[in-house]
Amino acid sequence: MKRPTIPDLAEAAGVSVSTVNRVLNEPGQVRKPTKDRVLHAAEAIGFYGLGTITHAVKSSQTTHRLGVLLQRGARTFYKNIGDAISRFAAEQDGVNIEMTVEFLEDLTPEKVASHIVSLGERVEALALVAPQHPLVADAIDTILDRGVPVVSLIGPLTAQGNISFVGLDNWKVGRTAAWAFDKMVREPGKIGILVGSHRLRNQEMNESGFRSYFREHNSGFTIMEPMTTYESAAVAREHVEQMLTEHPDMCGLYISGGGITGAIAALRNTPKRSDFVAVGYELFDDTRSALIDGTLSFIISHPMERFARETVTTMLKAKTGGREAGAHRVTFGFDIYTPESV
């Protein structure tokens, strides 16, 4: 087959040969919809100058340098968030987004604050998951003062400056988890709770909503003090094993924070009880299999594609709107999964 020529491309795009030449040589003189049409036609016919046309189209677009800072990349949940955000940014037509996604292994406030400042120097808007801490707040104010807007993900953050938020209504998450226990547990009893960190405000709000439901609807349950996993599966497993040993009469476990794979391993290592209910957070391969085999009873999860879309959209709004636009708050509904729905 002969190589497609400029006349072939013009015919495929439904434009004149002179228009194709202007796209190649004077892209600034051609309207964006026309350039997009020529680009799509070049992709379809395998035009030899595709790279030139792509550059011509993108060179006329404003480039947005966006950054996302997440916690440990080895955790499936955060890896899935990073992948979804990167994929959504890359798929946007008519906007050129340079997306930088980075993960933090050391979650001490000093390291988190240092990384916020470092990434904030390289991007024009920053979204992050971080604990609430004075050092973190100071780092956020540092980059806000440089004109870089900040969007907190999953859990809200506060600083002296305005911070946008994208995530779930965490108080509702906690009350929904409590509702699940209330409806599924046969006889009210003790419920254990795991949280990743008391400085992750989404988990604190989850617990607050969880307890408020039982105060309002069923005081027969005993809600145990939460145990901190520090987002570690190994620590979570130790805590669950300890709770099951010290409280054999537990009727349920609420895994509100990180380390759910460790909690699943501990539950699988004990004899199954038909009267025991476990509620977890986020759907991925490990939690899905735990639902199927009955280790978990109920999962509350972020709708990942919508989360990615709202994150990128909010970052662009915050960047283009400037300081005068104020903070943006975006909350959306969560997904619920049971053994019969996966």
Side-chain angles (χ1 to χ4, degrees), residues 60-236:
S60 61
Q61 298 172 353
T62 299
T63 297
H64 303 278
R65 293 184 292 108
L66 308 182
V68 177
L69 182 59
L70 302 172
Q71 298 192 12
R72 296 185 176 110
R75 285 191 56 194
T76 303
F77 173 58
Y78 288 116
K79 182 180 182 303
N80 288 347
I81 291 176
D83 289 346
I85 290 174
S86 296
R87 185 168 56 250
F88 180 83
E91 291 172 351
Q92 298 316 292
D93 290 329
V95 60
N96 188 26
I97 300 175
E98 293 181 1
M99 179 64 70
T100 300
V101 178
E102 296 182 356
F103 298 91
L104 274 171
E105 300 306 318
D106 187 338
L107 301 181
T108 59
E110 294 82 3
K111 291 293 185 182
V112 175
S114 175
H115 208 117
I116 289 172
V117 173
S118 171
L119 186 52
E121 293 174 344
R122 294 177 273 135
V123 298
E124 297 169 313
L126 176 63
L128 72 158
V129 178
Q132 182 67 52
H133 190 277
L135 292 176
V136 173
D138 286 346
I140 290 173
D141 282 326
T142 296
I143 66 172
L144 286 174
D145 289 342
R146 294 175 183 162
V148 177
V150 175
V151 180
S152 65
L153 303 179
I154 302 176
L157 293 168
T158 57
Q160 291 185 13
N162 289 325
I163 304 174
S164 298
F165 171 72
V166 173
L168 307 178
D169 183 328
N170 294 296
W171 192 74
K172 284 186 178 180
V173 169
R175 286 184 66 90
T176 301
W179 175 88
F181 282 102
D182 189 25
K183 301 306 178 185
M184 289 191 288
V185 173
R186 297 174 187 173
E187 294 293 333
K190 297 178 181 177
I191 299 177
I193 304 178
L194 293 181
V195 297
S197 168
H198 290 293
R199 287 193 177 272
L200 291 170
R201 293 182 65 195
N202 61 302
Q203 295 178 20
E204 285 290 284
M205 294 168 72
N206 286 353
E207 185 194 353
S208 176
F210 190 74
R211 292 180 183 277
S212 74
Y213 176 93
F214 287 112
R215 283 194 297 268
E216 182 179 348
H217 294 291
N218 196 334
S219 59
F221 285 88
T222 299
I223 313 303
M224 298 165 60
E225 281 301 303
M227 303 189 77
T228 306
T229 68
Y230 307 103
E231 304 291 304
S232 164
V235 174

Side-chain angles (χ1 to χ4, degrees), residues 177-187 190-192 210 221 250-255 267 273-280 294-298:
W179 175 88
F181 282 102
D182 189 25
K183 301 306 178 185
M184 289 191 288
V185 173
R186 297 174 187 173
E187 294 293 333
K190 297 178 181 177
I191 299 177
F210 190 74
F221 285 88
M250 277 174 55
C251 68
L253 175 67
Y254 178 33
I255 310 161
L267 292 173
R273 288 168 40 195
S274 60
D275 59 343
F276 188 91
V277 170
V279 174
T295 304
L296 294 178
S297 314
F298 195 86

